[in-house]
Amino acid sequence: MRIALLTAAALLVAGSIALLVNALTYEHTIYRTPEDLTSAMLSKFHVTRSEAEAYVRAHPDSVFNNNPEKSVRPGMPSVNEVFRQVQRDARNDAVRRSRLLTAVALGLLAIVTGIVGWVIAGRVLRPVRLITRRARSASADDLDARVALEGPDDEMKVLADTFDSMLDRLQRSFAAQRRFSAQVSHELRTPLAVVRGETELLAGTDLDVDARRSVESIRSASERAERIVTRLLELARSTSGDVAREPIALDALVGDVIGELVEADHWRRLEVDLELAPASIRGDVTLIDSLVRNVAENAARHNRPDGWVRITVRESDGRAVLVVANSTTRPGEPEMGVGLSLASAIADAHGAQLDQTLSEPGSLVTSLSFPAPSAEDEPPRRAESRAGASPRVAADA
């Protein structure tokens, strides 16, 4: 209703101005007094007022005769003809002036109505811009801000209130999800830890071959269940928005993680090349640690026994890049393990881009590109991390 009324008012003002221009044009064109009309007619006869008066006194019958179309004298137009010509000139002058002034008025009206329309559109769309800013901040993990639009109870107010209600529901949902994750962590990890501890105790006792094999199977299954629970909890955390933001030296973190992983048996069958250059990111240390582990583990587990893994950390165009290349058991489509699915979710939570491609037959490349941090986010580095920027780790069978 407000938009319709404002538009109608703008059109009314513009039409009124156009009518006023035309009225002023014709008002100044019409002869207001007989003297003005007489002066215009004398100019058409090309005589002065005194000459006309002298001629009328000397020849009254020539002017005031019964035939108005008769010429006053030979070679001169009649009075009616002169009168009509004067009226035509007045009309043509009025039309010409009307066109000129109307064109000027339309130009000014276009400028004024454009400015007024801009102001009206800005006021009408202000709530939409406010809702857009709130939506962007909510997508950046800020669910506390609300539109809280004030004003009349119109469509924009209803839209803003609906958006605030949606944010309330999202905030309650994320809070419930975090509480559920904490409860699951407590309820599942504790009994799994008890099972693992009991199997370790049993493994230290004198058992026959079959019993020891069963205990080892139970321990292996419990460890796998713990890893799955941990990954699911990390996945829930990365998708809930509960992500810390702190400076991280990606090269140092990758070096530490790979240094731990290469001690496992399935890594000892692989040749591992590690090249680290200083690179900084901003994110959650725990989740980034899990991301690196899962990408590296995916490269090691989906590999051939005599294969290789090459891990590189560098900066490119201000962005930190982690590249994990490995030989693979399948020459076809890339293999996507559970760990890589979790890595993809963590990368999304940090605004990073994860790509997996086949660079050549039997070779798989997984790359992670992180957003560039600001200057104040540069993390402190250990001396050994900078000194050993390009170590090579070789773990042969």
Side-chain angles (χ1 to χ4, degrees):
M1 179 62 69
R2 285 186 306 181
I3 295 175
L5 291 177
L6 289 172
T7 304
L11 290 175
L12 181 61
V13 171
S16 300
I17 294 176
L19 289 176
L20 179 62
V21 168
N22 279 281
L24 292 176
T25 300
Y26 284 98
E27 180 181 357
H28 289 285
T29 303
I30 296 174
Y31 299 109
R32 297 185 178 182
T33 63
E35 287 77 8
D36 295 337
L37 179 58
T38 302
S39 298
M41 294 183 68
L42 290 175
S43 65
K44 295 297 182 181
F45 282 111
H46 304 289
V47 295
T48 63
R49 182 180 296 271
S50 59
E51 291 175 341
E53 290 175 354
Y55 184 83
V56 170
R57 292 192 188 97
H59 308 86
D61 294 336
S62 300
V63 178
F64 303 105
N65 53 47
N66 296 326
N67 187 3
E69 297 297 335
K70 185 179 179 181
S71 175
V72 174
R73 62 182 178 180
M76 295 184 62
S78 66
V79 175
N80 278 359
E81 184 179 351
V82 172
F83 181 78
R84 286 193 297 268
Q85 187 175 356
V86 169
Q87 292 296 88
R88 283 196 302 269
D89 292 345
R91 181 192 61 191
N92 294 336
D93 183 59
V95 171
R96 184 175 59 255
R97 294 180 59 186
S98 176
R99 287 175 179 173
L100 176 62
L101 294 179
T102 302
V104 173
L106 286 176
L108 295 176
L109 282 175
I111 297 175
V112 172
T113 53
I115 296 174
V116 173
W118 178 272
V119 174
I120 293 174
R123 292 181 61 86
V124 171
L125 295 178
R126 184 180 63 85
V128 177
R129 290 196 296 268
L130 184 58
I131 293 173
T132 302
R133 287 197 299 269
R134 292 293 182 265
R136 288 176 178 172
S137 64
S139 64
D141 309 327
D142 179 14
L143 294 177
D144 294 328
R146 296 293 182 269
V147 178
L149 185 65
E150 298 180 355
D153 192 14
D154 55 6
E155 289 84 354
M156 290 298 178
K157 183 70 163 54
V158 173
L159 176 61
D161 293 343
T162 303
F163 184 80
D164 287 343
S165 299
M166 182 190 68
L167 289 180
D168 291 335
R169 291 193 298 271
L170 284 175
Q171 192 172 33
R172 290 194 297 268
S173 175
F174 286 157
Q177 187 178 26
R178 285 191 287 269
R179 288 194 300 268
F180 174 76
S181 299
Q183 292 172 357
V184 169
S185 175
H186 177 73
E187 297 295 333
L188 292 181
R189 294 176 115 178
T190 300
L192 288 174
V194 171
V195 172
R196 182 164 54 85
E198 293 295 331
T199 55
E200 290 177 353
L201 290 176
L202 288 174
T205 61
D206 294 331
L207 299 173
D208 57 33
V209 176
D210 293 337
R212 185 172 297 278
R213 185 180 297 111
S214 298
V215 169
E216 290 296 329
S217 297
I218 294 173
R219 183 171 64 178
S220 177
S222 64
E223 289 176 352
R224 182 170 180 273
E226 281 188 297
R227 288 196 301 269
I228 292 175
V229 169
T230 300
R231 287 176 177 178
L232 290 176
L233 292 176
E234 290 174 348
L235 180 61
R237 181 183 169 194
S238 65
T239 56
S240 68
D242 186 16
V243 178
R245 303 287 177 180
E246 56 182 300
I248 301 173
L250 182 62
D251 52 322
L253 186 147
V254 171
D256 294 340
V257 169
I258 301 302
E260 296 177 11
L261 293 179
V262 294
E263 298 298 327
D265 291 338
H266 60 282
W267 279 86
R268 295 182 181 277
R269 302 189 301 269
L270 304 173
E271 180 182 348
V272 182
D273 290 337
L274 186 62
E275 183 177 352
L276 305 178
S280 301
I281 63 173
R282 184 173 178 84
D284 190 300
V285 175
T286 303
L287 292 180
I288 296 297
D289 182 281
S290 178
L291 183 151
V292 175
R293 289 177 185 273
N294 282 287
V295 171
E297 280 293 323
N298 190 79
R301 293 186 182 278
H302 299 282
N303 211 320
R304 59 177 184 263
D306 58 344
W308 49 267
V309 177
R310 299 190 184 96
I311 301 172
T312 305
V313 175
R314 66 176 188 273
E315 280 194 353
S316 177
D317 297 329
R319 297 170 66 93
V321 179
L322 168 64
V323 179
V324 179
N326 62 279
S327 56
T328 180
T329 56
R330 294 178 58 188
E333 293 296 324
E335 297 185 58
M336 175 71 76
V338 176
L340 203 59
S341 300
L342 173 61
S344 179
I346 297 175
D348 290 340
H350 287 79
Q353 182 178 356
L354 187 148
D355 295 312
Q356 193 176 49
T357 57
L358 288 169
S359 63
E360 58 186 51
S363 177
L364 183 65
V365 177
T366 304
S367 62
L368 275 161
S369 178
F370 293 87
S374 56
E376 59 269 18
D377 292 334
E378 180 70 20
R381 297 180 177 275
R382 298 174 301 177
E384 59 269 21
S385 295
R386 291 188 180 275
S390 301
R392 176 183 173 86
V393 179
D396 299 325

